[in-house]
Amino acid sequence: MRVATLAGTGEAGWNGDGPGTQCEINQPFGVVKGPDGAVWFTDLGNHRVRRIEPNSGIVETRVGNGLLGSDGNGGPALEASLNEPYELRFDAARHLYFVDMQAHVVRRVDANDESITTLAGTGEAGFGGDGGDAREAQLSRPHSIELDGRGGLYIADIANHRLRRVVLQTGIINTWAGTGGTKPVHEGDNIFTADLFGPRAIAFDRGGNLVLALREGNKVIKVDCATGRVQHIAGTGEKGYEGDHRDAREAKLAGPKGLALDKDDHIYIADTESHTVRRIDAQTNIITTIVGDGTSHDGPDGAPLDCGLARPHGVYVDSGGNVYIGDTENHRVRALLV
């Protein structure tokens, strides 16, 4: 296995689209493999969503004009203003969804005509609107999103300490978990009635269970979506970087902000404040570091445990087991290639 840079020079900036390693980017956050085979990422500091063409390695902007704002609904996605896009996902029909975090909205780009619309949020920070049209509801600093494969889009509404769910067919939004309180959540709690402090990243396993990273809680939990029962997966709750090669529940995490599952339900964590990507084995629950050494620096590419990361946020695993990383403060998109 080796680490390779797919996009970014290591310097924050904007010099237009072009060959990936010659193309300046500015704080990449979310990263995902699109239905077109390209790696898509949110270029937060440039207020754009971009893709890396799989054959040529060319970086191409697909959403955003580079101006800070939140407008352009109904028009071409390339002409819209964004405000710090965070995470992105595609549905089965190839429509793109992304979080426009500082605008407090989730937006959608139509796969057919590439027009952009707001899916959830009024643009004003707050909490309200459950039971109604998601476009008339208030969110507050939404961070991550995930599709459940059953017609729902989940939103980590972090400043409201809640998970919200939008039914895509009707556009209705409701709170799925969280009371707005900030007490820690524990093994055996019912997620539907418990506080939910710091929900940051969401994924679903093959059984339809929700996996959630808690940034402030320095934990990863799994939730049975039918009963709401919480299972503790990783993290003691104390911030730190230790515990590799042991049960993940005995390990310390440091502000986890990104989460992905592979085809075998192994869990991958962007452990942001330890500057690493870590993996939890689905069978043994053993945690290991797969990229990074626990300190903030830039690379070098090559050996995974010698390749420094700097506050990574995005992580995604493709069907072949390759791991894609939004290496945020190194201003690079990297891949661990198997």
Side-chain angles (χ1 to χ4, degrees), residues 187-192 222-231:
E187 172 95 20
D189 284 351
N190 187 317
I191 200 74
F192 302 135
K222 183 180 287 189
V223 179
D224 182 316
C225 291
T227 66
R229 185 184 181 278
V230 171
Q231 179 185 358

Side-chain angles (χ1 to χ4, degrees), residues 156-230:
D157 191 7
I158 62 171
N160 285 321
H161 307 293
R162 291 173 167 91
L163 291 182
R164 316 280 290 275
R165 183 177 188 268
V166 179
V167 178
L168 295 176
Q169 186 174 8
T170 64
I172 300 299
I173 191 171
N174 277 294
T175 294
W176 188 81
T179 64
T182 58
K183 294 178 182 176
V185 63
H186 299 290
E187 172 95 20
D189 284 351
N190 187 317
I191 200 74
F192 302 135
T193 57
D195 288 359
L196 195 59
F197 186 35
R200 287 297 170 110
I202 314 162
F204 287 91
D205 69 13
R206 291 176 297 172
N209 301 298
L210 183 145
V211 182
L212 180 65
L214 300 169
R215 183 256 184 235
E216 280 79 9
N218 298 300
K219 285 185 178 181
V220 175
I221 62 173
K222 183 180 287 189
V223 179
D224 182 316
C225 291
T227 66
R229 185 184 181 278
V230 171

Side-chain angles (χ1 to χ4, degrees), residues 46-210:
N46 286 320
H47 310 294
R48 291 174 164 96
V49 176
R50 307 172 82 180
R51 70 186 285 277
I52 307 168
E53 211 284 329
N55 296 316
S56 67
I58 296 294
V59 171
E60 178 188 20
T61 299
R62 297 303 294 269
V63 186
N65 59 21
L67 300 177
L68 188 153
S70 183
D71 61 19
N73 280 333
L78 274 172
E79 297 178 9
S81 298
L82 312 183
N83 192 343
E84 296 194 0
Y86 261 54
E87 195 166 72
L88 69 171
R89 291 290 184 267
F90 287 91
D91 68 14
R94 304 168 72 97
H95 304 305
L96 169 67
Y97 301 83
F98 68 93
V99 176
D100 212 359
M101 195 273 284
Q102 294 288 8
H104 313 290
V105 297
V106 176
R107 305 182 80 178
R108 175 185 183 272
V109 178
D110 189 275
N112 300 308
D113 63 10
E114 297 188 351
S115 63
I116 190 169
T117 54
T118 294
L119 175 80
T122 63
E124 181 181 352
F127 174 71
D130 277 356
D133 188 327
R135 295 168 296 182
E136 298 175 4
Q138 287 180 297
L139 309 173
S140 187
R141 302 184 70 243
H143 187 278
S144 299
I145 51 174
E146 186 59 280
L147 295 149
D148 64 8
R150 298 183 298 276
L153 178 81
Y154 287 69
I155 305 168
D157 191 7
I158 62 171
N160 285 321
H161 307 293
R162 291 173 167 91
L163 291 182
R164 316 280 290 275
R165 183 177 188 268
V166 179
V167 178
L168 295 176
Q169 186 174 8
T170 64
I172 300 299
I173 191 171
N174 277 294
T175 294
W176 188 81
T179 64
T182 58
K183 294 178 182 176
V185 63
H186 299 290
E187 172 95 20
D189 284 351
N190 187 317
I191 200 74
F192 302 135
T193 57
D195 288 359
L196 195 59
F197 186 35
R200 287 297 170 110
I202 314 162
F204 287 91
D205 69 13
R206 291 176 297 172
N209 301 298
L210 183 145

